[in-house]
Amino acid sequence: MPELPEVETMRRGVLPIVGRDVSEIVLPPCKLKRISILPSLAAIRKALVGRRVQGVSRLGKRVLVDFAEHSLILQPKMAGLVTLGEVPSREHLRFEMRFRGKQKVSLFYWDRRGLGGVHLLHRDEIQQQVVDGKLGPDALDIEFDEFYRRFQATRRPIKVALLDQKLVAGVGNLYASEILYAARVSPLLASKDVSRKRMRRVYDFMLAILLEAIEKEGSTLSDGTYRNSLNDPGSYQNHHRVYDRAGANCECGRAEIQRIVQAQRSTFYCPRCQK
DNA sequence: CATATGTCCTGAGAGC
DNA sequence: TGCTCTCAGGACATAT
């Protein structure tokens, strides 16, 4: 679930741990299959207990808790949350990092489906292990010329290309449909065949929509999984124009929103507005 | 190399 | 109510 706006909201929500020292790291009782925790819990404890959080950053759809020598990388994938407080359910809590201080503060990793993970890397390993060959520039940082050049290099449909994190990092299935609808570009069009003028619109709406969604603290869908740091839902779902609206009338009033499947993922679009 | 497909895991909702 | 089936925001590994 979490795409760039949701992950950025999580990052902001855990900023209060900056400057605090780790006291202990525990795995909450969880009967479900264990998530990926690497290296071992013991190794993570050894590296981090007593260490001070220097900052919290975001790398694509991952949250990084940065220490002097290491970063703890939390990757929510489809159904994960990074938070300091309330979580939707106790039984899906997967990881807890506690901090020293009078008031008890813990960073929690919660994951309903358990597809995500918690990984510790040395800071100088991140580029090679996480970025190189796997993650392109962040959607909020990339410049248009670079964006256009990258999307000219693939003949996959533009919707599928937008999901490829090595082209641009941060856009996921929901926002890809919303961006293409706003830009009035067909999701079926081969990426390399989208004109520069149209790609400019895709780029402009990518920035506008992601920033707007961050302001609204992301999208909480019908399963209610995603929450902000106060365990409240985001509100961007109220602004969706096509996502999960198959059969509804498009704003144009002359066509229904369609759901199609591309690369095993749902795409929503208006066949009349998006050519 | 570029692209396509299957899979990880749990839970919600639909249909019967 | 309870069963079975399908689907879900991501991204890997593996196959073509």
Side-chain angles (χ1 to χ4, degrees), chain A residues 180-188 198 201 242 248-260 268-275:
Chain A
L180 291 174
Y181 176 78
R184 302 175 70 87
V185 170
S186 168
L188 297 158
R198 284 173 178 231
R201 294 209 304 267
V242 287
N249 286 327
C250 173
E251 293 165 15
C252 72
R254 302 190 187 186
E256 285 185 358
I257 305 301
Q258 304 289 309
R259 173 186 181 270
I260 60 172
F268 298 89
Y269 77 115
C270 173
R272 192 166 188 283
C273 297
Q274 297 170 261
K275 305 271 187 188

Side-chain angles (χ1 to χ4, degrees), chain A residues 6-270:
Chain A
E6 292 77 24
V7 176
E8 175 62 17
T9 303
M10 294 178 202
R11 184 191 75 82
R12 294 180 183 188
V14 301
L15 280 174
I17 65 173
V18 174
R20 301 193 65 137
D21 299 332
V22 175
S23 60
E24 56 183 328
I25 296 171
V26 298
L27 301 187
C30 180
K31 295 176 181 178
L32 304 171
K33 188 176 169 87
R34 220 184 121 190
I35 60 164
S36 168
I37 294 177
L38 292 172
S40 65
L41 177 64
I44 294 176
R45 281 179 173 144
K46 189 172 178 187
L48 298 187
V49 169
R51 306 290 173 171
R52 180 162 298 176
V53 176
Q54 307 289 314
V56 184
S57 52
R58 179 180 59 75
L59 192 53
K61 301 174 191 172
R62 294 166 170 89
V63 174
L64 276 62
V65 180
D66 299 315
F67 297 85
E69 294 178 23
H70 298 88
S71 289
L72 189 69
I73 302 179
L74 304 133
Q75 188 174 21
K77 288 204 179 173
M78 293 282 263
L81 280 179
V82 180
T83 179
L84 298 184
E86 304 288 305
V87 287
S89 62
R90 285 257 136 218
E91 65 268 27
H92 300 95
L93 264 181
R94 312 287 186 149
F95 182 92
E96 177 181 359
M97 182 160 61
R98 298 179 181 154
F99 295 92
R100 290 181 185 153
K102 306 158 201 160
Q103 47 178 351
K104 297 205 171 192
V105 173
S106 285
L107 175 142
F108 297 103
Y109 180 68
W110 177 98
D111 193 331
R112 175 170 282 157
R113 290 170 69 181
L115 298 174
V118 178
H119 298 330
L120 183 75
L121 287 181
H122 276 97
R123 293 185 78 161
D124 58 17
E125 294 176 318
I126 294 173
Q127 182 68 29
Q128 181 197 348
Q129 296 205 27
V130 182
V131 179
D132 290 347
K134 298 178 188 168
L135 270 192
D138 194 83
L140 296 183
D141 295 336
I142 192 169
E143 302 209 358
F144 175 68
D145 285 343
E146 176 70 1
F147 180 81
Y148 181 64
R149 189 185 67 71
R150 285 171 168 263
F151 282 83
Q152 281 288 291
T154 179
R155 48 193 171 79
R156 286 172 293 165
I158 180 67
K159 158 63 164 48
V160 175
L162 277 169
L163 298 185
D164 185 343
Q165 302 299 295
K166 54 183 182 293
L167 291 181
V168 63
V171 178
N173 201 47
L174 187 163
Y175 293 102
S177 284
E178 293 297 324
I179 289 163
L180 291 174
Y181 176 78
R184 302 175 70 87
V185 170
S186 168
L188 297 158
L189 203 54
S191 182
K192 66 178 180 52
D193 293 335
V194 182
S195 69
R196 188 178 169 92
K197 188 175 171 185
R198 284 173 178 231
M199 276 313 274
R200 180 79 217 186
R201 294 209 304 267
V202 173
Y203 173 84
D204 287 342
F205 280 111
M206 174 177 78
L207 293 181
I209 287 173
L210 293 176
L211 290 171
E212 172 77 4
I214 291 169
E215 278 190 33
K216 307 286 186 198
E217 302 188 297
S219 300
T220 298
L221 302 188
S222 55
D223 70 3
T225 288
Y226 166 72
R227 301 289 160 142
N228 69 12
S229 62
L230 301 176
N231 200 31
D232 291 327
S235 64
Y236 193 73
Q237 65 278 3
N238 301 321
H239 300 261
H240 295 172
R241 298 163 81 189
V242 287
Y243 184 79
D244 205 19
R245 298 195 64 232
N249 286 327
C250 173
E251 293 165 15
C252 72
R254 302 190 187 186
E256 285 185 358
I257 305 301
Q258 304 289 309
R259 173 186 181 270
I260 60 172
V261 174
Q262 296 179 283
Q264 340 268 87
R265 320 285 314 271
S266 294
T267 297
F268 298 89
Y269 77 115
C270 173

